[in-house]
Each structure stands twice: as structure tokens, then as C-alpha cells.
């Protein structure tokens, strides 16, 4: 009796030891179950000071800092948030990230439906909106949400023309219900600006593709109602906002259907994806009738298309007649849904036969990729002829493929997972992580093995295969650890390579998970977009800079044209420069810095960005500066501030201005100006003496322009926008114009003294840095 307690204690200790040993077969010789068994005392905190724990904490801090720095340098969420909330006043419910995309609507014009060009090429100016000229897209989720109808995107546009008034019907995805409604907008200036009238049709199910037409004095709309399982025809009661159901013309869940009157019959084209054996987005059927109200009879050769989804079978807009020929729009959904449009000439359309051939669409596409509002895909076009004889087309487009947000998130998570694996691998090589993969589950390896255990494990052949795999992997880890000495050159090289790869993958992961859709988008002002001309001055020795410069900035959303002022040497061929926008090289006879601000009647935009060819910054910073300039077109809006002061006046760098909390000059090596004011002012008779001084010093042209602006106004004349980062590429090419900073600054100080005598002093003016535009000070 007295010995029993001792025996029980021994058994308990043995069981505990056995359980702990079996449980600690897990990676790094510890498991959660083992941690729970630790007693109070130093053992409770052993894992906090273990080499493995310290190694992982240090790794987390290092790679976390890299990710934070990359996000800080690459993204500026505060800027876009502040600009949107304080100026655009977009409903907080609108324009949310949507896996279906960020569709918007643009307007195109042409002499025919096969020569359509975007509205910005018509050079339509709207002074009250700050659009010089108006640029696509003209209707967006932001403009609809701002009107009080929260929207995530707008798509499937159809026009209805009444004299000189255009009505635009489109699908708008409601941000609250997350279903499609039919919105309507109105334009009285041929599509340059649009008034958002509201929601024309809202049902309990998803609506899209609002095909609108008139017949015998009635206006009809036939939206997609496939979620209802019907094809419904609505009639206008009070156009354009009041509609009533006129008839359910077919009990089929057709998508993207159109009705047209051709050769004495009504023809209905639509796609039914619900049937057995149908190929989604690759199927098309035809029905015919003597009335748009039916009854409808199927075409003898239905389905006329049932092939792959890139064939253009699914309708992509209104069919139209041009030069006596009928044309049908189709969607190519090969790479992603709505990838692009295809157009087909209908050669035969009878009750028994149908034949069509593809022809060239002629729609001008953008080469700016995701920086263009329709750079990734466009899947709908409605073209109509106006009373003036011109053709107008409305197109929907998106900058990202379908499901892109999910795809990018998955890629980001995969990058982070690889980084974690690399951290463990480096820890193993360094000896900080001594991992041994388990050979068996703890629950089945504790205590004595019995026949019952064998019965339990025998059916699971995967466990034995996993055990063999873990055994081999453990041997490999031990072998690598024994062979790899981190103190040797090969060991240090491997660890360095692991770190570099991990750093790159960390940045990739951040960009995919945190960086949105990868586009650097333009900024709205009063519901409109616009464009500017990029002007740079260079010469033959800086061609390397220019090539990189043109390739980068031509992809920015709002750049309309690039003008290269060639001051010296043999100019390059246009084919040598990789530009997706028109580029013009203006060869000058005299090598003069005054050429930078020469009057150029070929520049069609009001805004000009004077940007040195050795300055590289993000398109988003450029777009943000353009947004601020459109608010203040009477000012020089730029990225490099200076504070002129002291007695005598002395030219100093940006640090001097920041240390004193203000500025009174902006360098025009990176600044937006009004070409109508700045160029004429610079080449006025009043500025002649200043230009002569610029030629004498071969310097100070930007200083002169600042003095001329101040001399012409008693109000604020400069505005500063801080870029997230900017790189001077001339430091890499060795062709910097001003290599000796001290001499350069002295010349500029001399210019300040002379310009002050000519045009007045800048020193008595000073403006505080604007927190909204001053980048990271927010």
C-alpha cells in the first residue's frame, strides 16, 4: 500500500517524458503541445531567447522594413485620398475595388465608323472644368457616384440621338446592392460633357446591356435580364427615366441581345449560355419575326456560332449599316472576358442562311497599357451617324483584366510564402534554425506500439510515403548544413543570393497585395480628365537619357505629345525612340536655353510640362502635379522649390527652403506652365534683357521665368508638389550640364541680383508648404 504512490509517480514521469519526446519530434524540436507542459520558471520563457526565435524576429524586422520602405517609395495613398475627398467629393460608397473591373466609357469621333479617334484628338476645350482639352473617359463611376448614384463601374453604353441632344444608357454596378442597374446621362455638346440624369431602370435582378431603339413612334429598351431567365422589352413612358414592361418576348436567359430591322424582317441576335453543350462567350443564335414584339422563330442553322470564346460570337454593341452593308459587333473573350472588339460584315442573312466575315475595326487603340483607361480590354461599341454627317461612337474600357484583383493577391501571397521559405533555409544554413521534420504523428508514436496502432495506420499509405520523404529531407538538410560553412566565400555568396532574392520577392509581394491594379491613373477635376504636352530640351551627348525618358513618360496617362527641343548635334530618328504617343523633334539653329520657352503654335494643349531629360519620377507624381496645376493654371506648379532671400541674394538648394518652412520660386526643370501665358511672356520685349543674360551665362532661364510670373501678378505665382521620389539619371551617364555645383550656384546668385534690378525682388514673397501637396508631410 505504501509503495503505490511512488510507482504511480514514476509511471507518470515516464509517460510525461515519453509524450514530450514524441511530441518534440516536430520542427525545431518543439511543439505547441510541449509548450503547454512547461512549468513556471525560466523554462516558460526559453523560447523567447532561443536562437531560432531571435533569428525569426530579426528576419521579420529586416524584411518588414524593406517592405515598408518599398511601399513608402512606391505608393502615395494619402495623396490620392486627400485629392479625392477634398475636391472630387465622390461618394465614399462609389468606385470601390471590384473583381469585375473598373469599366468606364469614352467617346470617339470619325468620318466613318471605321475611322474612330478619341475625343482628345478633336481638341475640345472646357474652361469651366479645367479640361484643356477634354480627354476620355467621359463617364466614370466617379462622375455617376458624385451625382448621388454610388457606382463601382459603368459599361455597355448605348446612344439615343434626339436632334442635337445625346442620351447615353449604360450598365452601372450599384455599390450597395452589387447588381447592375441601367443609368442614363445627357449631353448637349456632342459628348464632350455629360449630365448624370439618374437610374432609368432598377429591377430586383441584375440588368446590363441596355439596347435602346425606336419602332413606329415608340422608344424601346431591351436590357439583359438573364438572371431573371427572360428577355424583356421595356417601353418609355416618360423618356428617358420612366419605363414600363411592354412584353416578355422570350423565355430564355439570353445575354447581350440586339434587334435590327433588315430586308423586311426583324432579326434578334443573342447568346444563351445555359444550354447543354454551349460554349460560354462562343455561342450565338438568331431568331426572326415580322415585329419586334414577336413571335420569334429560330434560325434554321442555330446556333450559328458555337466555337471558342475568342471568335467574337457574343455581341459587343449595336449592329449598324454603312454603305449599304450590315455589320455586327462581337467580343473577343480569349485572354480575358471582354478582351477586345471584333467587327463582322454580314454577307448573307436569310431565314435559312447566315454568313459573316471579319473586317478591320479601325478603332484607335492605346499603347499605355494599364495607364490607359481602356488599355487592358474594351468590349462594347455603339456607333451612330449625327445630323452633321460625323460618326460618333461610345466605347467602354477597362485598365485591368477580369479577376485581376484576386490574381494579384494570390501572386503577392505566393511571393511572401517563398520569402518565408528562404528565411527558414537561411536559418538552417546559419545554424539558427535546427529543424527536423516529423517522422510520425505524435498521437500515434507515443507509448508502446500495438496491433491496434498498426490497424490504424495500415490503410493510410500516404503516411508511410510522407515518412520516407521527411527522412530523406532531414538527411538533405543535415548534409547541406554540414557542407555549407557561412564563414567561407561560397557560403557568404549563397546567403547573399538568398537575401537579394528574398528582398526582390518581398517588394513584388507588397506591390501585388498593396499596390492596387498596377496602374498609375490620372486625376479627375470636376468630373473631367485632360491632357498635357511634355517638353524637354537636350542634345546629342544625352541621347541615352532621352531614350529612357521617352519610353517611361510616354506611358503616363495624361501625356498627349512629347516635344523634344534639340539644341546641338545630329538629332535621332523618331524610330530610335520608343514612344506610344506622338513625338516631335524641334531642331534649333542656336544652342540656347531660351529655346525651352519658345512659342510653339503646334502645341495643342494649354498645359505644358517642362521636364529635364535627366529627371525620372513616377507617372503618379506627374499626374498629381497636373491635377494641382489644373486647379491653379495661373501659377507655375512644380516639383523643386527654392527660397530666395538674404542680403545679398544667394541661390540655395531645397534644404534651405524646407529649413525655413517656405518657398518663393519653382524650378521649371520640372514644372507645369500655361503655354499661352508663359511662352508669350518669356518672349516679350520686356524680357529681352533677361534672355540676353541667359545666353551670356548659359544658365538661369528658369529663374527668369519665375521673375516674369511675379512681375505679372500680385498674387501667389508658384505651387509646390512634392514627388515620392525622383532620380537624376545624368549622374549615371556622366553628362550633367552643371557638374560643379558651387560654380553653378554662384552663377545663379549673380542672376538673382541682376533679375532683381530688372524685375523686382522675390525675397519679399514667401509661401508655406501646402500639406495637401507636400507628399509625405501629410
Amino acid at each position: 500500500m505504501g509503495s503505490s504512490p511512488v510507482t504511480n509517480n514514476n509511471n507518470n514521469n515516464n509517460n510525461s517524458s515519453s509524450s514530450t519526446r514524441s511530441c518534440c519530434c516536430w520542427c525545431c524540436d518543439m511543439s505547441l503541445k510541449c509548450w503547454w507542459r512547461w512549468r513556471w520558471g525560466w523554462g516558460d520563457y526559453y523560447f523567447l531567447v532561443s536562437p531560432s526565435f531571435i533569428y525569426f524576429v530579426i528576419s521579420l524586422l529586416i524584411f518588414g522594413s524593406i517592405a515598408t520602405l518599398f511601399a513608402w517609395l512606391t505608393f502615395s495613398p494619402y495623396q490620392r485620398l486627400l485629392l479625392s475627398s477634398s475636391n472630387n467629393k465622390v461618394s465614399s460608397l462609389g468606385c470601390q475595388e471590384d473583381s469585375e473591373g473598373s469599366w468606364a466609357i469614352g467617346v470617339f469621333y470619325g468620318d466613318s465608323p471605321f475611322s474612330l479617334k478619341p475625343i482628345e484628338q478633336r481638341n475640345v476645350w472646357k474652361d469651366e472644368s479645367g479640361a484643356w482639352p477634354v480627354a476620355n473617359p467621359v463617364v466614370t463611376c466617379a462622375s455617376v457616384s458624385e451625382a448621388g448614384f454610388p457606382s463601382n463601374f459603368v459599361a455597355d453604353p448605348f446612344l439615343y440621338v434626339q436632334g442635337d441632344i445625346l442620351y447615353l444608357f449604360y450598365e452601372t454596378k450599384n455599390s450597395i446592392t452589387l447588381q447592375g442597374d441601367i443609368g442614363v446621362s445627357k449631353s448637349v455638346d456632342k459628348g464632350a460633357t455629360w449630365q448624370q440624369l439618374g437610374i432609368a431602370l432598377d429591377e430586383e435582378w441584375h440588368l446590363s446591356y441596355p439596347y435602346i431603339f425606336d419602332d413606329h413612334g415608340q422608344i424601346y429598351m431591351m436590357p439583359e435580364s438573364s438572371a431573371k431567365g427572360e428577355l424583356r422589352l421595356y417601353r418609355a413612358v416618360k423618356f428617358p427615366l420612366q419605363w414600363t414592361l411592354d412584353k416578355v418576348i422570350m423565355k430564355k436567359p439570353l445575354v447581350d441581345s440586339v434587334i435590327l430591322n433588315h430586308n423586311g424582317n426583324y432579326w434578334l441576335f443573342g447568346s444563351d449560355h445555359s444550354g447543354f453543350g454551349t460554349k460560354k462567350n462562343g455561342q450565338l443564335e438568331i431568331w426572326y419575326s415580322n415585329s419586334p414584339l414577336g413571335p420569334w422563330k429560330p434560325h434554321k442553322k442555330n446556333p450559328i456560332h458555337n466555337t471558342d470564346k475568342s471568335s467574337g460570337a457574343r455581341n459587343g454593341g449595336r449592329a449598324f449599316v454603312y454603305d449599304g452593308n450590315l455589320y455586327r459587333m462581337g467580343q473577343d473573350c480569349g485572354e480575358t472576358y471582354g478582351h477586345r472588339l471584333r467587327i463582322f460584315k454580314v454577307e448573307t442573312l436569310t431565314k435559312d442562311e447566315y454568313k459573316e466575315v471579319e473586317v478591320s475595326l479601325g478603332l484607335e487603340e492605346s499603347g499605355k497599357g494599364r495607364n490607359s483607361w481602356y488599355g487592358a480590354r474594351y468590349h462594347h461599341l455603339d456607333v451612330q451617324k449625327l445630323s452633321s454627317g460625323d460618326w460618333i461612337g461610345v466605347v467602354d474600357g477597362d485598365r485591368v483584366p477580369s479577376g485581376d484583383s484576386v490574381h494579384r493577391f494570390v501572386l503577392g501571397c505566393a511571393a511572401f510564402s517563398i520569402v518565408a521559405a528562404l528565411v527558414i533555409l537561411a536559418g538552417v544554413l546559419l545554424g539558427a534554425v535546427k529543424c527536423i521534420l516529423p517522422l510520425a504523428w505524435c498521437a500515434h508514436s507515443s507509448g508502446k506500439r500495438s496491433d491496434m496502432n498498426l490497424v490504424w495506420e495500415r490503410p493510410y499509405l500516404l503516411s508511410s510515403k510522407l515518412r520516407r520523404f521527411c527522412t530523406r529531407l532531414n538527411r538533405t538538410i543535415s548534409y547541406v548544413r554540414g557542407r555549407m560553412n557561412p564563414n567561407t566565400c561560397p557560403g557568404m555568396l549563397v546567403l547573399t543570393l538568398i537575401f537579394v532574392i528574398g528582398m526582390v520577392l518581398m517588394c513584388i509581394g507588397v506591390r501585388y497585395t498593396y499596390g492596387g491594379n498596377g496602374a498609375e491613373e490620372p486625376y479627375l477635376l470636376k468630373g473631367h480628365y485632360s491632357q498635357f504636352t511634355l517638353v524637354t530640351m537636350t542634345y546629342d551627348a544625352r541621347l541615352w537619357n532621352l531614350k529612357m525618358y521617352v519610353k517611361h513618360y510616354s506611358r503616363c496617362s495624361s501625356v498627349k505629345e512629347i516635344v523634344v527641343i534639340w539644341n546641338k548635334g545630329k538629332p535621332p530618328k523618331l524610330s530610335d525612340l520608343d514612344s506610344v504617343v506622338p513625338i516631335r523633334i524641334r531642331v534649333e539653329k542656336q544652342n540656347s536655353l531660351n529655346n525651352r520657352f519658345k512659342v510653339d503654335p503646334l502645341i495643342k494643349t494649354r498645359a505644358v510640362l517642362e521636364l529635364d531629360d535627366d529627371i525620372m519620377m513616377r507617372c503618379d507624381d506627374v499626374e498629381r502635379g497636373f491635377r494641382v496645376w489644373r486647379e491653379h493654371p495661373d501659377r507655375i506648379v512644380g516639383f523643386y522649390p527654392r527660397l530666395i532671400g538674404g542680403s545679398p541674394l544667394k541661390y540655395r538648394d531645397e534644404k534651405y527652403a524646407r529649413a525655413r518652412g517656405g518657398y518663393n520660386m519653382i524650378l521649371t526643370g520640372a514644372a507645369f506652365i500655361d503655354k499661352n501665358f508663359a511662352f508669350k511672356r518669356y518672349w516679350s520685349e520686356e524680357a529681352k534683357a533677361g534672355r540676353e543674360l541667359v545666353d551670356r551665362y548659359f544658365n538661369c532661364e528658369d529663374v527668369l521665368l519665375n521673375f516674369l510670373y511675379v512681375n505679372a501678378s500680385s498674387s501667389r505665382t508658384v505651387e509646390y508638389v512634392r514627388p515620392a521620389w525622383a532620380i537624376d539619371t545624368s549622374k549615371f551617364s556622366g553628362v550633367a550640364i552643371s557638374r560643379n555645383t558651387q560654380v553653378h550656384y554662384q552663377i545663379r546668385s549673380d542672376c538673382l541680383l541682376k533679375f532683381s534690378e530688372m524685375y523686382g525682388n522675390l525675397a519679399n514673397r514667401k509661401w508655406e508648404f501646402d500639406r495637401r501637396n507636400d507628399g509625405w508631410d501629410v
Side-chain angles (χ1 to χ4, degrees):
M1 295 287 295
S3 62
S4 296
V6 177
T7 304
N8 290 338
N9 287 337
N10 290 337
N11 289 338
N12 289 338
N13 291 337
N14 291 337
N15 291 339
S16 176
S17 176
S18 175
S19 177
T20 302
R21 284 195 303 270
S22 63
C23 195
C24 290
C25 66
W26 285 101
C27 182
C28 303
D29 299 328
M30 61 181 67
S31 72
L32 289 176
K33 185 175 180 181
C34 296
W35 293 348
W36 281 113
R37 290 180 176 271
W38 287 351
R39 295 170 296 177
W40 286 102
W42 178 251
D44 292 83
Y45 303 99
Y46 171 75
F47 74 98
L48 294 178
V49 293
S50 67
S52 298
F53 181 79
I54 295 175
Y55 168 76
F56 283 120
V57 169
I58 293 175
S59 300
L60 178 63
L61 290 175
I62 292 175
F63 283 103
S65 300
I66 292 172
T68 302
L69 178 63
F70 177 79
W72 183 73
L73 291 174
T74 309
F75 310 117
S76 54
Y78 300 112
Q79 296 302 327
R80 193 168 292 276
L81 176 64
L82 285 170
L83 285 170
S84 297
S85 61
S86 61
N87 295 291
N88 291 342
K89 300 178 182 178
V90 177
S91 168
S92 60
L93 295 175
C95 294
Q96 302 296 316
E97 184 174 293
D98 198 300
S99 61
E100 293 187 81
S102 55
W103 295 91
I105 297 172
V107 173
F108 291 69
Y109 301 96
D111 298 328
S112 77
F114 299 100
S115 61
L116 297 174
K117 300 184 183 302
I119 189 173
E120 42 264 36
Q121 295 200 13
R122 290 178 69 96
N123 209 36
V124 179
W125 285 33
K126 290 296 176 183
D127 290 339
E128 67 277 5
S129 66
W132 312 289
V134 176
N136 279 327
V138 294
V139 179
T140 66
C141 60
S143 56
V144 174
S145 298
E146 186 176 300
F149 311 99
S151 171
N152 273 10
F153 63 76
V154 291
D156 296 350
F158 282 100
L159 283 171
Y160 187 83
V161 182
Q162 283 188 339
D164 294 330
I165 302 177
L166 301 178
Y167 292 94
L168 180 69
F169 292 82
Y170 50 85
E171 172 196 354
T172 171
K173 185 172 182 179
N174 190 299
S175 301
I176 301 173
T177 63
L178 298 181
Q179 72 175 26
D181 301 326
I182 304 303
V184 58
S185 303
K186 172 183 174 182
S187 176
V188 295
D189 52 10
K190 295 185 178 181
T193 59
W194 294 87
Q195 175 190 0
Q196 315 305 324
L197 300 181
I199 302 302
L201 198 59
D202 180 8
E203 297 284 15
E204 295 179 357
W205 54 88
H206 172 82
L207 297 173
S208 63
Y209 206 83
Y211 179 69
I212 184 169
F213 66 98
D214 51 24
D215 187 76
H216 293 91
Q218 298 290 333
I219 303 176
Y220 294 98
M221 178 167 55
M222 186 177 65
E224 178 200 326
S225 302
S226 60
K228 181 68 173 175
E230 300 173 343
L231 185 59
R232 297 178 145 221
L233 192 66
Y234 294 82
R235 176 172 45 84
V237 176
K238 188 176 181 181
F239 187 84
L241 288 175
Q242 294 184 17
W243 299 80
T244 185
L245 177 63
D246 193 81
K247 188 175 183 181
V248 176
I249 61 176
M250 194 173 294
K251 288 283 188 178
K252 289 179 72 71
L254 296 183
V255 298
D256 298 355
S257 303
V258 299
I259 292 178
L260 56 115
N261 190 343
H262 184 69
N263 289 340
N265 285 303
Y266 288 89
W267 304 88
L268 189 154
F269 289 70
S271 300
D272 181 3
H273 297 159
S274 64
F276 178 77
T278 57
K279 296 188 177 181
K280 189 173 183 180
N281 297 326
Q283 188 265 1
L284 180 66
E285 298 180 68
I286 299 177
W287 291 265
Y288 60 91
S289 174
N290 58 8
S291 166
L293 302 179
W296 294 94
K297 298 179 180 179
H299 193 275
K300 183 178 179 180
K301 293 193 174 180
N302 274 347
I304 58 170
H305 285 299
N306 193 26
T307 56
D308 64 275
K309 57 186 178 181
S310 64
S311 64
R314 182 170 177 170
N315 288 322
R318 186 189 306 272
F320 62 90
V321 175
Y322 178 69
D323 281 351
N325 296 311
L326 176 64
Y327 296 90
R328 184 186 70 85
M329 304 302 307
Q331 298 183 41
D332 178 350
C333 299
E335 295 184 18
T336 182
Y337 168 69
H339 173 56
R340 68 183 182 94
L341 281 169
R342 300 173 68 176
I343 187 168
F344 302 89
K345 178 182 178 182
V346 178
E347 294 187 336
T348 303
L349 177 57
T350 66
K351 298 176 182 179
D352 301 320
E353 298 291 334
Y354 180 79
K355 181 182 179 182
E356 64 181 18
V357 294
E358 185 173 5
V359 296
S360 176
L361 177 60
L363 184 70
E364 183 168 308
E365 299 184 10
S366 172
K368 297 186 178 184
R370 297 195 178 203
N371 290 353
S372 171
W373 67 277
Y374 69 124
R377 50 182 179 162
Y378 56 97
H379 76 349
H380 185 102
L381 169 65
D382 183 19
V383 291
Q384 295 197 36
K385 191 174 184 179
L386 302 176
S387 57
S388 62
D390 293 335
W391 286 79
I392 184 173
V394 285
V395 178
D396 65 1
D398 193 3
R399 63 180 75 252
V400 295
S402 179
D404 184 73
S405 58
V406 176
H407 176 68
R408 292 177 66 83
F409 179 78
V410 171
L411 290 179
C413 292
F416 288 141
S417 300
I418 297 175
V419 171
L422 290 175
V423 168
I424 295 175
L425 175 60
V428 170
L429 297 179
L430 288 170
V433 179
K434 299 179 180 179
C435 289
I436 298 177
L437 296 177
L439 302 182
W441 300 105
C442 288
H444 302 147
S445 60
S446 59
K448 296 182 178 179
R449 297 183 61 85
S450 65
D451 293 339
M452 185 169 292
N453 294 128
L454 295 176
V455 172
W456 176 272
E457 290 186 334
R458 191 173 293 123
Y460 297 95
L461 298 178
L462 180 61
S463 64
S464 60
K465 294 180 180 179
L466 182 62
R467 188 179 298 111
R468 287 196 297 270
F469 171 77
C470 292
T471 302
R472 294 191 185 101
L473 196 56
N474 287 334
R475 291 173 182 171
T476 303
I477 292 173
S478 300
Y479 175 78
V480 171
R481 187 187 298 136
R483 297 282 296 180
M484 185 63 64
N485 187 350
N487 295 323
T488 63
C489 288
M492 294 177 63
L493 181 62
V494 170
L495 291 173
T496 302
L497 184 62
I498 290 175
F499 176 76
V500 171
I501 295 175
M503 185 173 60
V504 172
L505 288 172
M506 200 71 185
C507 294
I508 292 174
V510 170
R511 183 161 189 86
Y512 277 125
T513 57
Y514 177 67
N517 57 33
E520 296 186 273
E521 306 173 26
Y523 290 83
L524 277 168
L525 180 65
K526 298 180 181 179
H528 295 97
Y529 295 99
S530 190
Q531 291 187 311
F532 62 86
T533 300
L534 184 62
V535 176
T536 190
M537 185 169 61
T538 189
Y539 61 99
D540 51 358
R542 298 165 66 90
L543 184 58
W544 177 82
N545 286 61
L546 182 64
K547 288 182 176 180
M548 184 169 55
Y549 175 98
V550 168
K551 183 176 182 178
H552 172 64
Y553 287 114
S554 69
R555 270 78 177 172
C556 295
S557 296
S558 300
V559 175
K560 180 181 179 69
E561 179 189 23
I562 297 178
V563 178
V564 178
I565 303 171
W566 197 261
N567 260 6
K568 185 176 69 174
K570 183 179 179 181
K573 299 178 182 178
L574 293 181
S575 58
D576 295 336
L577 304 175
D578 181 7
S579 177
V580 297
V581 300
I583 184 168
R584 177 164 54 94
I585 299 178
R586 197 178 79 204
V587 180
E588 300 291 348
K589 296 180 180 180
Q590 179 184 356
N591 184 12
S592 170
L593 297 182
N594 290 318
N595 294 332
R596 179 193 292 271
F597 305 119
K598 184 175 288 187
V599 176
D600 189 341
L602 296 181
I603 294 178
K604 301 302 182 184
T605 64
R606 179 177 175 182
V608 167
L609 173 59
E610 293 279 356
L611 187 62
D612 288 347
D613 65 328
D614 54 8
I615 294 177
M616 298 295 291
M617 66 177 72
R618 301 179 314 153
C619 286
D620 182 69
D621 288 323
V622 172
E623 296 292 347
R624 183 159 50 90
F626 183 42
R627 172 67 166 76
V628 174
W629 180 84
R630 289 170 66 197
E631 289 182 307
H632 310 288
D634 57 328
R635 304 177 187 177
I636 300 175
V637 177
F639 303 92
Y640 293 96
R642 296 291 186 268
L643 179 61
I644 305 306
S647 181
L649 292 176
K650 187 176 181 180
Y651 185 85
R652 297 177 177 87
D653 59 14
E654 183 176 338
K655 292 181 180 179
Y656 178 83
R658 288 201 163 276
R660 284 151 183 80
Y663 62 99
N664 51 20
M665 190 172 80
I666 293 292
L667 299 189
T668 57
F672 285 93
I673 58 176
D674 180 351
K675 64 132 183 183
N676 294 329
F677 175 82
F679 291 172
K680 292 178 181 178
R681 186 77 180 164
Y682 193 88
W683 286 90
S684 65
E685 186 65 26
E686 178 186 7
K688 182 177 180 181
R691 295 196 305 273
E692 291 174 350
L693 189 65
V694 169
D695 280 336
R696 188 188 317 160
Y697 286 134
F698 203 76
N699 205 325
C700 305
E701 80 286 357
D702 50 351
V703 179
L704 174 58
L705 188 64
N706 275 268
F707 273 92
L708 295 175
Y709 259 78
V710 169
N711 194 39
S713 174
S714 59
S715 61
R716 183 170 181 165
T717 56
V718 291
E719 194 79 25
Y720 168 58
V721 179
R722 187 176 185 180
W725 53 262
I727 300 175
D728 183 355
T729 59
S730 66
K731 298 294 191 300
F732 304 101
S733 62
V735 290
I737 294 177
S738 305
R739 297 183 182 181
N740 192 321
T741 302
Q742 187 174 356
V743 173
H744 176 64
Y745 276 30
Q746 183 57 52
I747 294 175
R748 287 181 163 251
S749 296
D750 295 341
C751 289
L752 289 174
L753 293 174
K754 296 184 181 299
F755 289 154
S756 296
E757 295 173 1
M758 296 177 185
Y759 308 110
N761 197 346
L762 278 176
N764 58 355
R765 298 191 180 211
K766 177 183 175 182
W767 294 284
E768 303 294 327
F769 288 104
D770 187 343
R771 289 177 61 82
R772 188 189 59 153
N773 300 327
D774 191 20
W776 309 109
D777 289 347
V778 177

